[in-house]
Amino acid sequence: MPHLKVYHPMPRFPALSLSGSVCELHCQHCTATYLAGMMPVTTPEMLLAAGRRLQERGALGALLSGGSTREGAILSLKPMLAAIRRLKAETGLLFNLHPGLLDESTAAMLAGAIDFASLEIPSTETVQRVFGLQATTDDYRATYVH
């Protein structure tokens, strides 16, 4: 029988923002408000230190998220890839990524370091009107496939 695992955000599965409070989109549904409730980890060193503290305090893992680029990807994700992989190897923490739009090469670099992803697949109308992106539902489906 399948099992459903649920992780409550605090204190054992907090949200970490790879971009701090910065977002280039300011979508109508959020306007960067959600970022204020996340722990800012804007450099690889900050991410590693935060992850080690979480492990020491008995955390199970963390949501990795952040503000978006004008293209719909997480700001600062690519510069953080090595730190995410290192932190996973050192701590064994579970990582849930909220990726936004993700290209195939970045997805491949995250393989083995991310345990699961929280990905919405919105309508093209929502992508363009609410998120303000020149993207489509198919672009989000492509992220899912990667």
Side-chain angles (χ1 to χ4, degrees):
M1 172 177 257
H3 294 279
L4 175 65
K5 292 184 180 182
V6 178
Y7 300 97
H8 296 277
M10 292 303 262
R12 298 186 67 209
F13 210 94
L16 308 180
S17 174
L18 303 180
S19 68
S21 62
V22 178
C23 181
E24 294 177 356
L25 287 183
H26 290 274
C27 304
Q28 291 179 21
H29 71 292
C30 170
T31 61
T33 302
Y34 294 130
L35 299 175
M38 297 180 185
M39 181 187 309
V41 289
T42 56
T43 67
E45 296 78 20
M46 287 176 73
L47 175 61
L48 290 167
R52 290 173 184 138
R53 279 192 311 274
L54 290 173
Q55 181 190 35
E56 290 168 3
R57 295 178 184 160
L60 297 171
L63 168 68
L64 301 177
S65 189
S68 295
T69 66
R70 291 293 312 148
E71 294 74 35
I74 295 179
L75 280 163
S76 305
L77 178 60
K78 288 184 181 184
M80 299 291 239
L81 290 172
I84 293 168
R85 294 185 66 75
R86 180 175 171 185
L87 191 57
K88 177 68 173 178
E90 287 181 8
T91 66
L93 291 170
L94 295 172
F95 291 123
N96 175 12
L97 179 67
H98 185 231
L101 292 173
L102 195 62
D103 61 61
E104 189 171 358
S105 65
T106 305
M109 294 164 85
L110 288 164
I114 300 299
D115 298 284
F116 44 100
S118 294
L119 177 68
E120 63 253 336
I121 302 179
S123 69
T124 296
E125 179 184 2
T126 298
V127 171
Q128 294 175 358
R129 190 172 52 83
V130 177
F131 296 176
L133 293 171
Q134 294 304 309
T136 67
T137 297
D138 289 339
D139 295 316
Y140 281 85
R141 285 189 184 121
T143 293
Y144 175 78
V145 170
H146 300 320

